[in-house]
Amino acid sequence: MAAEAAAKVKSIFLYPIKSCRGISVSESPISATGFRWDRQWMVVNSRGRACTQRVDPKLALVEVELPDDAISLAWKPNKSSYLVIRAPGMDELKVSLCKPPQTCDGVSVWEWSGSALDEGDEASKWFTNYLGKPSRLVRFNEESETRPVDHNYAPGFRVMFSDGYPFLLVSQGSLDALNELLKEPVPINRFRPNILVDRCEPFAEDLWKEIKIGNLAFHGVKLCSRCKVYFGQNMVCEDLPEGNEHIIKLGDPVYVINTFASYEDTST
């Protein structure tokens, strides 16, 4: 391992509902599909297809809140544990963190389709009223479904409702460099990363093939495509034996173990 850290974890973001606002946390447990609670829920239309900001930009104004202790390692939900959802002009919606009994089939996101847990009529009415079209809130059913990532890049790994991979890592230096080129600077939430690191050169993360954060090994598998550009590194986490708990915290050092030789290598 390198003697000195190449960067430090500056921010950690969770996005409990796909395409809705994220939550900044001081630490987060890691599972095989990413950070706990990340993209565990998704809004779907009348055909069961994922609703995203690409078609429904109003989702960007939907705020979500988890119980303060929900990111603790040993925490488990009870009947008084809720995901609280807010949006402009809407009453507050509370969704129980205990798994609902009902399921719905024909849920799809990108090329994946399967069944999901249905959060019920109250949540459906809330999102239907807010988006102005028939909608339902569903939760990934870990007990019956598996959604693998692209096997061409990371065979054997899986996600819930994330677009593609368990983690997206971006550096503050890259954001600063980008904003120097823009007339109107953009905040980091525009790119929806899970891990924001600092104290490294701009775009250094693009060439990170293997890094360690704490005792966890992360592998860079694919630069994140943004229309005509790439921004951020999609990553997977190795060494997650079942039954063990793993956690990342703000300030954790980032050690670079191996790098790609060139940008061409990051897309192969």
Side-chain angles (χ1 to χ4, degrees):
M1 182 178 292
E4 294 185 7
K8 284 196 173 183
V9 176
K10 180 180 182 180
S11 300
I12 297 169
F13 300 104
L14 316 177
Y15 307 88
I17 305 177
K18 183 177 181 64
S19 274
C20 295
R21 285 191 177 181
I23 300 173
S24 179
V25 297
S26 60
E27 61 182 42
S28 179
I30 284 181
S31 71
T33 57
F35 284 131
R36 182 187 290 174
W37 307 116
D38 192 53
R39 277 87 167 196
Q40 194 161 346
W41 287 267
M42 178 172 71
V43 181
V44 297
N45 62 21
S46 59
R47 302 183 304 278
R49 187 71 177 168
C51 297
T52 72
Q53 290 183 24
R54 298 171 181 87
V55 176
D56 299 290
K58 287 180 69 175
L59 287 172
L61 300 178
V62 176
E63 297 180 348
V64 297
E65 178 184 333
L66 286 165
D68 291 338
D69 50 358
I71 60 171
S72 301
L73 281 173
W75 187 83
K76 294 184 182 300
N78 55 46
K79 291 183 178 180
S80 60
S81 304
Y82 294 96
L83 177 71
V84 181
I85 304 172
R86 303 180 181 94
M90 300 291 293
D91 291 335
E92 183 178 274
L93 172 67
K94 289 186 175 180
V95 175
S96 175
L97 289 177
C98 295
K99 293 185 178 180
Q102 61 266 36
T103 61
C104 56
D105 297 324
V107 169
S108 63
V109 53
W110 299 113
E111 293 80 14
W112 180 88
S113 63
S115 68
L117 301 171
D118 191 321
E119 292 293 0
D121 291 341
E122 183 181 359
S124 175
K125 183 179 179 180
W126 194 96
F127 278 100
T128 295
N129 291 341
Y130 181 64
L131 295 178
K133 64 180 184 180
S135 307
R136 299 198 74 82
L137 181 66
V138 300
R139 185 173 181 174
F140 195 85
N141 191 350
E142 297 178 82
E143 295 180 0
S144 68
E145 301 292 333
T146 299
R147 183 169 168 242
V149 305
D150 189 334
H151 65 87
N152 292 312
Y153 292 98
F157 289 90
R158 53 194 173 92
V159 290
M160 291 194 200
F161 291 135
S162 299
D163 265 2
Y165 299 90
F167 301 96
L168 175 62
L169 183 148
V170 174
S171 76
Q172 183 67 46
S174 299
L175 180 65
D176 294 343
L178 174 64
N179 279 331
E180 289 180 3
L181 303 174
L182 302 178
K183 292 181 179 179
E184 296 286 338
V186 294
I188 191 60
N189 65 7
R190 181 71 61 87
F191 302 100
R192 302 174 69 79
N194 298 108
I195 303 171
L196 178 67
V197 301
D198 202 0
R199 303 186 186 181
C200 62
E201 292 295 318
F203 309 107
E205 69 273 20
D206 292 357
L207 296 177
W208 289 352
K209 186 174 184 179
E210 181 183 358
I211 64 173
K212 276 206 167 183
I213 303 177
N215 64 341
L216 297 171
F218 290 82
H219 290 261
V221 294
K222 184 180 181 293
L223 295 181
C224 186
S225 55
R226 310 277 184 177
C227 298
K228 295 182 179 179
V229 299
Y230 292 96
F231 195 81
Q233 177 79 260
N234 287 304
M235 303 196 112
V236 296
C237 184
E238 299 274 10
D239 304 325
L240 284 174
E242 293 293 331
N244 288 5
E245 295 281 9
H246 308 276
I247 195 166
I248 283 183
K249 301 179 179 181
L250 297 185
D252 278 352
V254 179
Y255 296 96
V256 177
I257 308 303
N258 199 0
T259 60
F260 292 103
S262 66
Y263 277 90
E264 287 73 19
D265 291 339
T266 64
S267 59
T268 57

